[in-house]
Amino acid sequence: MSFLISSGRYILRLVIFGMVLRAVVALYLNLWDFSVPASFDNTLGPFLYGWHFDLAIAAFLYLLLYGSSLLFSFSEKTFSRLNSLLLFCYTILITTDAIYAKESGRHISYEVYNLFTIQGSLGNLLKLYWLQLLFAFLGASFVGRFFTPRYKPVQGIVKRTLALLFVLVISLVFARGFEGIPQDPSWAYRAGGGSKGATLALNGAYGIVWAAFAGKKSSKENIEVPLHVKSLDIFNEWRVRRGIEKAVGNFDGNIVIVFMEGWPGVYVDKKVGEEEVLPFFNSLRAESLRVDLMLAGGHRTTEGLFATLCSLPNPPGKSIMFTEIENKDFKCFPQFLEKKGYSSAFFQGSDQYTSGVGLLVLKTGFQNSYGKREIPDWTMIEQNAWGVFDQDLYKFATQKMDTMTEPMLIGINTNTTHDLALPKGVRPAFGEENNQSMHLSVTHHADKELRGFYETLKKRSWKKDWLFVLVSDHTSFAANGIFEHYSIPFLMKYHSVGGNRKPPFEHKLIHGAFSQNDVGATIADLTGNAAPEFLGRSLLRPQEFSTGANLFHLGTSVWFEGEWAVVFNIRDYGNYKCYHWQNDMLFHYPLPCPTDGEQMYLRGLSYLKESQELLFK
């Protein structure tokens, strides 16, 4: 019994100690300021949420201290000394993380591999921050002296075995945060409050320990170019005419963005016999702002969302989630809208934390994130392998919208097309002979569900005008080459409440190749938000920006300018081919490159290399 009491007291004390340390860090980082009471507004919730991470690191220390003591039958003196050492390490890790956050604005996390290179060397680190480290040392010494738990060695092999089993179970459950997987540092965004809330919630020592044991080093793609190629100069010359330096729009109405799960661009205008696969989307597209070609920013939902919401490319072939830059403070248009008084919510038909989607949308500025588990009685609703069908997701989103204030930003990631299943009673429109025909039927049904949602929105009593944006998050498959891996549907349609107000943009077809980065840039431009960090170009005035759209697939990159596509491999400098992409979407027939073909190739290569440098900077 004394062992159980000692264990409980130790873990509880460590949790409280962790909260105290985080409070000190909040003051050190000026997240809290006693002279400015407003700095405490809306921060208590995220701060209290951080007990999850405090408990997790406490469980880790508990495992090291009590587990080793049981294994090696430490004396009370050795037990006390090990406790002091662990508390010292804990405090130093918190301090080191706080120092890094002071300079970078984020926790260390995956940068643990460069822990002592914040200023280039350990010497510089000690020289610049000797006072903070001294206070950390004194604090750790003080706590270690008065924080030693009452512990007596457990006698007997049976009792020690049972006690060790107890330690293992408790440590595992607490470290996992009562969830099915260990808590990633990005889970701090569950606390709410954006990057500030995440900084308050995350225990820096836990972030470092998690990153060290996760074994994930840099996900940065190493792209080498010859010394004579001034890739940075080429990129900067191109970038001068990118970014929203001065927004031209003043739209302050509602925005509804539907990320259509896995809808491929080749389904647009596609027919099976006399039946269109996407009859509703095609009809709406004909009366909306649209482009010849829209390119996905990746192959996963988080990649498409990041490219769209933050108008930046993903690391080539990767998502930012669960990498060393997942906690970097990127500027994204939901953050801009929040400052303008928008309420916002994101909905997805699967679990909101699948692949880190819920965490990413909170990070980008959405105030709330909902998944299937947040839908009332979701277990009673018919589902496919991933979650609820779109009609139920749209219904839930509509109900939540009724509780929100305008203007509002709504994001939806659909789920019907996440599987090859249809609701009961729905017959496949194109047969069920194989996966291809079933995917066509499922997407056809999702198009019907989308029509129902759109009609509901049209009947809604809006107070402000509203914008309807449809774009795939990514494609789900491609049978015919790299191009179809990334071609996705897109449209943007404006609705006025009165029905007769002139749209802020013309509903028309814009010729050329564009990317998901351009969607975010367009919304920023439309809503009057300057975004010089964005690399997309606004569809409101595409002629005012540098041309160019990019895709990357398994080492091969394609750079689009006008009617040309330049295809090259990042490992084979100087080897590139040119195609008329509209006439040869499978890139089967290379043509002699135009006079500026080499410059297009160098712009594409420089964009791929230098945009990634910006991400990891």
Side-chain angles (χ1 to χ4, degrees):
M1 182 59 69
S2 61
F3 177 82
L4 298 179
I5 294 174
S6 175
S7 297
R9 285 178 175 174
Y10 184 72
I11 293 174
L12 179 60
R13 289 175 180 176
L14 280 182
V15 171
I16 296 173
F17 182 51
M19 297 185 74
V20 171
L21 288 175
R22 286 191 296 111
V24 173
V25 170
L27 294 171
Y28 175 65
L29 298 180
N30 295 320
L31 298 174
W32 288 345
D33 187 344
F34 289 116
S35 64
V36 184
S39 67
F40 293 88
D41 292 348
N42 302 319
T43 60
L44 182 60
F47 175 76
L48 293 178
Y49 180 89
W51 74 265
H52 292 85
F53 299 103
D54 299 330
L55 179 62
I57 191 67
F60 180 72
L61 296 178
Y62 171 68
L63 174 64
L64 292 179
L65 180 61
Y66 279 70
S68 58
S69 298
L70 289 167
L71 283 174
F72 303 108
S73 298
F74 287 157
S75 66
E76 292 186 51
K77 181 178 289 187
T78 302
F79 179 88
S80 177
R81 289 174 177 172
L82 178 59
N83 174 66
S84 297
L85 176 62
L86 291 175
L87 290 175
F88 175 75
C89 293
Y90 185 7
T91 310
I92 291 298
L93 289 180
I94 283 280
T95 305
T96 305
D97 178 78
I99 291 171
Y100 183 84
K102 189 75 170 179
E103 295 210 339
S104 67
R106 63 182 187 271
H107 291 289
I108 289 176
S109 191
Y110 288 95
E111 293 102 328
V112 65
Y113 297 100
N114 300 314
L115 191 58
F116 294 115
T117 61
I118 298 170
Q119 287 291 329
S121 70
L122 180 58
N124 282 336
L125 182 69
L126 296 174
K127 180 180 178 180
L128 287 173
Y129 298 106
W130 65 270
L131 185 60
Q132 290 92 327
L133 292 171
L134 176 61
F135 274 112
F137 175 79
L138 295 175
S141 300
F142 176 82
V143 171
R145 183 172 182 179
F146 294 97
F147 208 67
T148 302
R150 298 172 183 174
Y151 173 81
K152 293 186 179 297
V154 178
Q155 303 297 329
I157 186 66
V158 176
K159 289 184 177 180
R160 283 171 56 193
T161 301
L162 292 175
L164 183 60
L165 181 62
F166 173 82
V167 170
L168 290 173
V169 171
I170 290 298
S171 299
L172 183 64
V173 171
F174 287 178
R176 283 175 174 267
F178 304 99
E179 298 281 354
I181 57 175
Q183 298 176 98
D184 183 278
S186 66
W187 286 20
Y189 282 93
R190 289 184 174 186
S195 59
K196 181 178 180 180
T199 303
L200 280 165
L202 182 61
N203 184 302
Y206 176 79
I208 293 174
V209 170
W210 192 96
F213 281 88
K216 294 183 180 180
K217 297 186 180 180
S218 178
S219 61
K220 184 179 178 181
E221 186 76 44
N222 184 25
I223 302 174
E224 296 182 0
V225 299
L227 293 177
H228 70 273
V229 178
K230 306 299 182 184
S231 61
L232 182 58
D233 293 340
I234 296 172
F235 174 74
N236 285 338
E237 181 181 354
W238 173 88
R239 195 188 179 199
V240 166
R241 295 182 63 234
R242 282 287 174 130
I244 309 299
E245 297 292 342
K246 186 177 181 180
V248 298
N250 58 4
F251 177 75
D252 63 351
N254 304 289
I255 302 173
V256 179
I257 306 178
V258 180
F259 292 92
M260 303 171 296
E261 174 63 39
W263 287 29
V266 292
Y267 282 5
V268 176
D269 294 328
K270 181 180 178 66
K271 289 186 177 181
V272 178
E274 296 298 318
E275 181 77 26
E276 287 184 312
V277 177
L278 304 175
F280 167 67
F281 179 88
N282 294 336
S283 63
L284 190 63
R285 182 174 182 268
E287 55 188 47
S288 303
L289 178 67
R290 70 268 189 203
V291 298
D292 281 328
L293 172 64
M294 179 62 70
L295 296 168
H299 251 192
R300 300 176 63 192
T301 301
T302 51
E303 294 169 33
L305 291 178
F306 178 71
T308 303
L309 301 176
C310 305
S311 191
L312 290 173
N314 289 277
K318 303 179 182 72
S319 167
I320 70 163
M321 296 308 293
F322 310 120
T323 71
E324 68 270 35
I325 59 173
E326 67 176 352
N327 290 321
K328 186 176 178 181
D329 189 18
F330 295 104
K331 305 301 181 185
C332 309
F333 77 75
Q335 299 169 359
F336 304 153
L337 297 183
E338 182 180 21
K339 293 179 181 178
K340 289 202 167 189
Y342 275 71
S343 59
S344 59
F346 191 90
F347 304 85
Q348 63 183 111
S350 60
D351 188 287
Q352 64 163 312
Y353 297 117
T354 299
S355 301
V357 171
L359 303 172
L360 176 63
V361 297
L362 292 172
K363 171 184 175 63
T364 61
F366 278 92
Q367 296 160 355
N368 295 287
S369 172
Y370 303 99
K372 66 180 182 181
R373 298 177 189 276
E374 284 68 52
I375 300 176
D377 300 321
W378 68 276
T379 56
M380 306 299 292
I381 300 174
E382 186 179 2
Q383 302 179 42
N384 60 22
W386 287 87
V388 301
F389 288 98
D390 293 350
Q391 59 188 14
D392 293 307
L393 177 63
Y394 293 142
K395 180 180 178 181
F396 175 61
T398 303
Q399 292 171 347
K400 281 293 183 181
M401 290 167 63
D402 291 339
T403 67
M404 298 169 62
T405 58
E406 296 187 28
M408 66 178 71
L409 169 65
I410 301 297
I412 298 176
N413 178 214
T414 63
N415 190 67
T416 291
T417 48
H418 224 150
D419 196 5
L420 296 179
L422 289 165
K424 293 178 180 178
V426 177
R427 296 179 59 83
F430 308 113
E432 49 186 339
E433 295 85 8
N434 52 50
N435 287 348
Q436 171 65 27
S437 59
M438 273 304 297
H439 194 274
L440 289 166
S441 295
V442 169
T443 311
H444 182 74
H445 178 70
D447 182 71
K448 290 182 179 179
E449 293 176 302
L450 181 61
R451 180 193 293 271
F453 178 55
Y454 179 68
E455 294 300 329
T456 298
L457 292 179
K458 288 176 64 177
K459 296 174 183 177
R460 182 181 176 83
S461 299
W462 296 99
K463 297 178 180 178
K464 287 179 169 287
D465 295 352
W466 55 287
L467 183 70
F468 193 54
V469 183
L470 298 180
V471 63
S472 291
D473 53 349
H474 56 80
T475 60
S476 57
F477 76 99
N480 297 305
I482 182 175
F483 187 91
E484 293 183 5
H485 267 278
Y486 297 91
S487 172
I488 56 175
F490 163 77
L491 65 82
M492 182 179 292
K493 185 172 178 60
Y494 172 83
H495 296 265
S496 64
V497 173
N500 54 6
R501 188 175 303 173
K502 183 179 179 180
F505 55 85
E506 187 178 351
H507 291 145
K508 65 178 182 178
L509 173 64
I510 301 177
H511 294 292
F514 297 84
S515 72
Q516 286 177 319
N517 300 342
D518 303 324
V519 179
T522 302
I523 293 177
D525 200 24
L526 179 66
T527 54
N529 287 283
E533 305 89 353
F534 284 7
L535 291 185
R537 57 175 169 162
S538 171
L539 297 177
L540 303 185
R541 45 191 177 118
Q543 70 284 351
E544 297 183 27
F545 298 85
S546 300
T547 59
N550 164 269
L551 66 83
F552 177 89
H553 184 70
L554 300 177
T556 296
S557 185
V558 186
W559 179 254
F560 295 83
E561 284 191 21
E563 63 182 5
W564 289 99
V566 181
V567 181
F568 58 92
N569 190 293
I570 62 172
R571 306 298 181 207
D572 189 8
Y573 174 78
N575 187 1
Y576 59 91
K577 296 179 180 180
C578 301
Y579 302 83
H580 277 153
W581 60 266
Q582 289 176 309
N583 300 325
D584 184 12
M585 293 186 175
L586 299 180
F587 301 143
H588 281 170
Y589 308 105
L591 298 172
C593 291
T595 54
D596 63 341
E598 182 178 5
Q599 286 70 37
M600 284 194 291
Y601 161 65
L602 291 177
R603 280 193 290 271
L605 180 63
S606 299
Y607 172 85
L608 195 64
K609 175 178 172 57
E610 300 302 334
S611 64
Q612 183 183 211
E613 295 293 335
L614 283 178
L615 287 179
F616 287 86
K617 186 175 181 179

